[in-house]
Structure formats: structure tokens, C-alpha cells
């Protein structure tokens, strides 16, 4: 099996559990932590159910900086253990999912002599923590070479810097690959399924789960429950144990995306100091945009709707303009998003100084929680949580995830195969590369749809994702809303100023062909997507243009075809 079964099937299987026929493990939360646990536990032979209240990866796991990294910044905090673990995981993930976790050279421009010595020592330590096994060791770069790698830098101002290596990914696809691999090993996963009540017990636990698309409720039984609910973990803990004290201190981080012509960048990322020189900003080439982040501020607002506010936007713009001399303005911003780090409370005054370590803890009898950590170390977090429950359940298998390939069984073979097939269909090399990056082996299935269902065009003129992808994710990845495709599976909500619904977009038409949406429903889907994007972007980006006639024309054509039979 290489895809997710239907939501309906997943819900029925979850509902069929009982106190006599429980799952071994119920995972609450379909972000990277929950997905990693579902894979680890199912690979050890445990029966696993996973429920996610929104779309998969709709929480923090779609809002990261997309870096699989050792965390150079943590050197300052002397978090050597965490860094070593992260470097080892970075190198392992590059082997397990090379189509999705790719090396990225990072240039670090430094003119100041004292800082050059500090960074030189720091980068030596960074290589040492990776046992000198990183794809390449760091090296010093001259002023002209720095300018060549980071063309946005003003000429003649930078004396030199360093070049080192980390890895970059698409956080949502990493979650999807873990979920799909867990389903291949028997796990039952379901999105839009919210745990509303949680009851612990020595032998059996139960969760009341609401299907948020229909309002129906089912009870799911399991011998153990793992709450992997990110910043919502405290809320879940209070469901199971009313007197629970908050453990988390969420911190907000925002990113802005720029058009490549506004912020010129090569395939090398830059790591630049901000105005106040307290933090570093990443400037990364990502998909067809330039991703810049991030901030780290204490957050006390709604956990469900963090927003990029004007202060966030100005902070990033001022920092970039301080370094690059490009005169960037809000008009150059193509997209923006905000996410919340699930940090464990600590003594540090600023959230930036709080540890990124994770914690596994008991919530109630039979229920444990896991939170904190980083996307990079999700596999290690999953091992810690699964070791604990597996031992309690008498399962003494060790974690197997070190050997489980994610998505592409033969990564070297799939790239030329998809490139050749895409070319034969008249698709560009960028589209072929994107298909392999997103779907690995399953890119074959997407191309089958493109070929046989008249869906080979880009979702809208000039976009990289193609129409077949909208059909594929609606059919095989439980994408239930237009946003599930545009915001998460295809990322157009953040890379495109029009959020994927610009002139001529066929996205809603393609998804409607799978879900049978009426004209009214198509409009509702489009409006809901637009509202979600605008709410998150806040004032950072001018609102996407109102629904386009092109889209309406396409939708009308489908309706006409439907009416005429
Ligand atoms: P989440 O992804 O939030 O998943 C929890 C899920 O639980 C959510 O999807 C939520 O909907 C679900 N849920 C909540 N309540 C319920 C319920 N009642 N029933 C069912 N489901 C429920 N890490 C890196 O390694 N590299 C980076 O570059 C990086 N950059 C970052 C940048 C920013 C700005 C931020 C905020 C974080 C970054 N991180 C990075 C950290 C990383 O993104 C997080 O540690 C990770 O995504 C957390 O995943 P999670 O699964 O624990 O939480």
C-alpha cells in the first residue's frame, strides 16, 4: 500500500475499537511528533490509531523554518548534547529521505574580526559534534566569494565569512511520509478528528473523538494514549486531569517569503545577523521563493490563530534592509506565516533562551504526553515515547525507524524515471523535480492522473504544482478542504501572493471533481481558504486578489459538463 485509505474507512476502523478490542496505542496529534510515534510504534508491531483535529501538519509542523539542522545557535547555550543528537539525525534523515531532506550550503558573512574568530571556533565545534561526518566541513570564504554566493549583499562591504552545510526539507511532506509509512505498517490515521475527552486507566484508556467535518462522535479505545499535541498539550492534559498546571510556554516565530527577483539569492542560503545583532536570520531559497525567518517572542494569544503582525513584519524587513541595502518594502512580500513553538517552561527570561529539549511525562494512568523538541529530532522523540509505552505493554522490540526509508525506495532511480516521463508529457524539469520531492515513488501515480485525466497543466499559469496533484491528494492523502491542498500539500498559500487562487487557478475545480462539491461549496471552499490565509498573514501581505473570473470560468465549465451529462 502506498497511500492513505479514505477518511470514512479510517473512522470506521477507529470506531470499531472497544474495551475488548482496543488499539495498543492511540496517538493524539498529527504533527511531526505524532506521525513519528505512529511509525515507530507500528514498526514494532503495535496496533496504532492516530487522530488529528485539523489537517495533518496543520499545527506547528507546517510553520517551521524547514531546516533539518544541528542548530548552530545552540552553541551559545552550550546545548552540546542536543546539537550532537540533531547533527546525527540530520545525517540519518538525508539517507532515509534524500529526495525530501536535501543538503543546503549556508553562507555566513562576517566582517568583524572578533566575531570571525568566534564563528570560526563555533563552526569547528559544529563539525566536531557531527563527528566530522557532515556532507562537507565548513570553510572560510573570501569577500568576493561571499558576494558571489549571496548576490544581495552590497558590493565591497563584506570582508569574508564562512560556508557550512545543513539540510532543508518541506515539513508537511516529512509528516506525510511518516504517516504513510505508518499506515503501510497497519496504523490507522485520521484527520479532522478531535479528541474532546480523554479517560485514563490501568489497562484501558478511552477518547471521545469528534469528526469535525460531520459533528459525529465516536469512542476510541486503546491500552495506552500518547498526547503529541504540541502547544495544545496542556489543554489535553487538563481534559484528563483537571488540576494539571501548564507545562508549556509557547513562543511565536514568523516567516516572510519574497519573490526571487526582489531578493536575489543563489542555491546557497545566507545566515545574517539582525539589526540588534541578538539573533540570526535565515534567508533560504525554498521552492520558487525566498524564505526569511524567524522571530522568537513570548506568546499569549489564541493558540489556534497566531498572526504575523506589523511589528513582526517590520522587524524582518528592517533586518534585511540593514544587511542587504535592497530597499525591500511590503510590496515585495509574497507570503507570510506564523507558528508557535511548544517550549517547556524554564527559568530563562526570554523564550529564545529556553531549551529545545523534549520531555516525556505521565498525564494520567495509561496516558503520557510528549512535547518540546525540534522537527530535526522528531525520530528520537518518537523512540523515547514508544520505548516507554512498549515496555509497559510487554513489547520488547527496539526501534526500527533507523532503517525505514521514507517515501522513495530507490531515490536515485526515481528522479531520472520521473524526469523522462514528465518530459514526454511536456512538463518542465522543475515540475518533475517537485513531484519527486513531494511524492517520492508516488510521483508515478500523480503522473498517471496527469496523463489519463487531463490534469497535466500547472494548477494556475506559472505555478509549479500541477492539477493532478490536487486530485491525488484529495483521493489518496485525505485532503478534505481546498486549503489542505493549497496551504499544506502544495504550499501555494505561502509562496504565492494570490495563495494559489489567482487568475486561472484550477485547484478548486480539481478537488471538486473528487469530492463532488456543488457550486456553492466551491465558493465556500475558496472563501474559507482566502480567509484562513488573510488571518495568518495579518498585515504582512496585501490581501490576495478577490476570486478571479478565470477560476469562475473553469468552475462554470465543469458545472456545464455535469449538467449536460
Ligand atoms: P504540532 O505540529 O503542533 O502538532 C500537534 C498537533 O496536535 C496539531 O496538528 C494539532 O492540530 C493536534 N491537536 C491538538 N489538539 C488536538 C486534539 N484535541 N485532538 C486531536 N489533535 C489535536 N524545528 C526544526 O528542527 N527545524 C526548524 O527549522 C524549525 N523551525 C521552526 C520555526 C518556527 C517559527 C517554529 C514555531 C518552530 C520551528 N521548529 C523547527 C520546531 C518544530 O517545528 C516543532 O518542534 C515541531 O513542528 C512540533 O511538532 P509537534 O508534532 O510536536 O506539534
Amino acid at each position: 500500500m502506498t497511500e492513505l485509505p479514505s477518511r470514512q474507512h479510517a473512522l470506521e476502523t477507529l470506531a470499531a475499537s472497544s474495551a475488548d478490542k482496543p488499539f495498543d496505542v492511540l496517538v493524539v496529534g498529527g504533527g511531526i511528533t505524532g506521525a513519528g510515534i505512529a511509525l515507530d510504534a507500528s514498526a514494532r508491531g503495535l496496533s496504532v490509531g492516530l487522530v488529528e483535529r485539523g489537517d495533518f501538519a496543520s499545527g506547528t509542523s507546517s510553520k517551521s523554518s524547514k531546516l533539518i539542522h544541528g542548530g548552530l545557535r545552540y552553541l551559545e547555550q552550550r546545548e552540546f548534547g542536543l546539537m550532537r543528537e540533531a547533527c546525527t539525525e540530520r545525517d540519518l534523515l538525508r539517507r532515509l529521505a534524500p529526495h525530501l531532506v536535501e543538503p543546503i550550503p549556508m553562507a555566513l558573512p562576517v566582517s568583524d574580526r572578533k566575531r570571525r574568530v568566534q564563528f570560526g571556533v563555533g563552526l569547528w565545534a559544529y563539525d566536531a559534534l557531527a563527528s566530522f561526518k557532515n556532507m562537507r566541513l565548513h570553510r572560510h570564504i573570501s569577500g568576493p566569494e561571499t558576494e558571489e554566493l549571496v548576490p544581495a549583499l552590497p558590493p565591497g562591504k563584506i570582508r569574508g565569512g564562512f560556508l557550512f552545510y545543513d539540510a532543508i526539507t518541506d515539513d508537511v511532506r516529512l509528516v506525510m511520509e511518516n504517516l504513510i509509512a505508518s499506515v503501510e505498517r497497519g496504523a490507522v490515521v485520521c484527520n479532522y478528528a478531535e479528541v474532546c475527552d480523554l479517560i485514563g486507566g490501568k489497562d484501558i484508556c478511552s477518547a471521545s473523538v469528534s469528526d469535525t467535518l460531520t459533528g459525529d462522535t465516536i469512542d476510541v479505545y486503546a491500552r495506552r494514549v500518547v498526547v503529541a499535541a504540541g502547544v495544545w498539550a496542556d489543554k489535553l492534559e487538563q481534559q484528563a486531569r483537571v488540576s494539571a498546571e501548564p507545562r508549556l510556554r509557547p513562543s511565536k516565530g514568523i516567516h516572510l517569503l519574497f519573490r526571487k527577483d526582489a531578493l536575489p539569492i543563489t542555491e546557497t542560503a545566507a545566515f545574517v545577523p539582525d539589526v540588534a545583532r541578538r539573533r540570526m536570520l535565515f534567508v533560504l531559497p525554498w521552492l520558487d521563493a525566498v524564505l526569511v525567518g524567524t522571530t522568537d517572542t513570548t506568546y499569549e494569544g489564541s493558540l489556534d490563530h497566531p498572526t504575523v503582525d506589523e511589528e513582526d513584519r517590520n522587524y524582518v524587513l528592517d533586518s534585511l534592509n540593514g544587511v542587504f541595502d535592497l530597499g525591500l518594502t511590503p510590496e515585495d512580500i509574497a507570503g507570510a506565516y506564523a507558528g508557535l513553538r511548544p517550549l517547556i517552561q524554564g527559568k530563562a527570561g526570554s523564550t529564545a533562551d529556553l531549551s529545545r529539549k523534549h520531555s516525556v511525562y505521565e498525564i494520567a494512568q495509561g496516558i503520557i504526553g510528549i512535547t518540546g523538541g525540534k522537527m530535526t529530532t522528531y525520530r528520537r522523540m518518537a523512540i523515547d515515547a514508544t520505548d516507554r509505552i512498549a515496555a509497559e505493554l510487554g513489547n520488547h522490540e527496539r526501534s526500527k525507524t533507523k532503517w525505514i526509508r521514507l517515501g522513495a525506495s530507490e531515490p536515485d532511480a526515481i528522479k531520472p524515471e520521473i524526469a523522462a516521463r514528465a518530459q514526454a508529457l511536456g512538463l518542465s524539469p522543475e515540475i518533475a523535480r517537485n513531484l519527486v520531492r513531494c511524492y517520492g515513488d508516488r510521483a508515478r501515480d500523480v503522473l498517471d492522473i496527469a496523463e489519463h485525466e487531463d490534469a497535466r497543466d500547472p494548477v494556475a499559469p506559472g505555478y509549479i504544482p500541477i492539477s493532478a496533484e490536487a486530485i491525488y491528494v484529495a483521493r489518496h492523502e485525505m485532503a478534505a478542504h481546498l486549503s489542505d491542498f493549497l496551504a499544506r500539500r502544495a504550499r501555494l498559500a505561502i509562496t504565492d501572493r494570490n495563495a494559489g487562487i489567482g487568475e486561472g487557478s484550477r485547484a478548486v475545480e480539481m478537488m471538486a471533481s473528487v469530492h463532488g462539491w456543488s457550486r456553492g461549496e466551491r465558493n465556500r471552499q475558496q472563501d474559507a481558504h482566502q480567509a484562513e490565509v488573510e488571518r495568518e498573514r495579518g498585515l504582512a501581505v496585501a490581501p490576495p486578489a478577490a476570486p478571479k473570473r478565470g477560476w469562475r470560468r473553469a468552475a462554470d465549465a465543469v458545472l456545464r459538463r455535469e449538467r449536460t451529462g
Side-chain angles (χ1 to χ4, degrees), residues 449-464:
I449 296 174
E451 191 171 354
H452 302 301
E453 300 186 35
D454 183 24
R456 68 184 71 172
D457 296 339
V459 166
Y463 291 177
I464 291 178

Side-chain angles (χ1 to χ4, degrees), residues 28-34 51-54 58-61 63-67 69 193-195 228-230 232 236 253-255 294 339-342 372-376:
V28 183
I32 191 64
T33 310
V51 288
E52 161 56 52
R53 72 174 197 154
S58 57
T60 306
S61 298
K63 319 286 185 188
S64 79
S65 302
K66 327 299 179 206
L67 286 169
H69 62 158
E194 176 170 16
V195 169
W232 294 272
L236 266 295
I254 68 104
H255 292 83
T294 179
L340 301 177
R341 294 177 188 86
K374 289 152 57 78
M375 181 172 58
T376 306

Side-chain angles (χ1 to χ4, degrees), residues 100 170-177 438 442 477 489:
L100 182 57
D170 180 336
D171 39 13
V172 175
R173 296 311 321 180
L174 194 57
V175 172
M176 293 308 299
E177 291 301 1
C438 287
R442 300 180 311 281
E477 288 192 354
R489 313 298 198 280

Side-chain angles (χ1 to χ4, degrees), residues 412-426:
D412 291 338
I414 191 77
K415 285 184 186 167
E417 180 192 325
I418 295 301
R421 267 192 77 188
Q423 191 184 21
L425 291 174

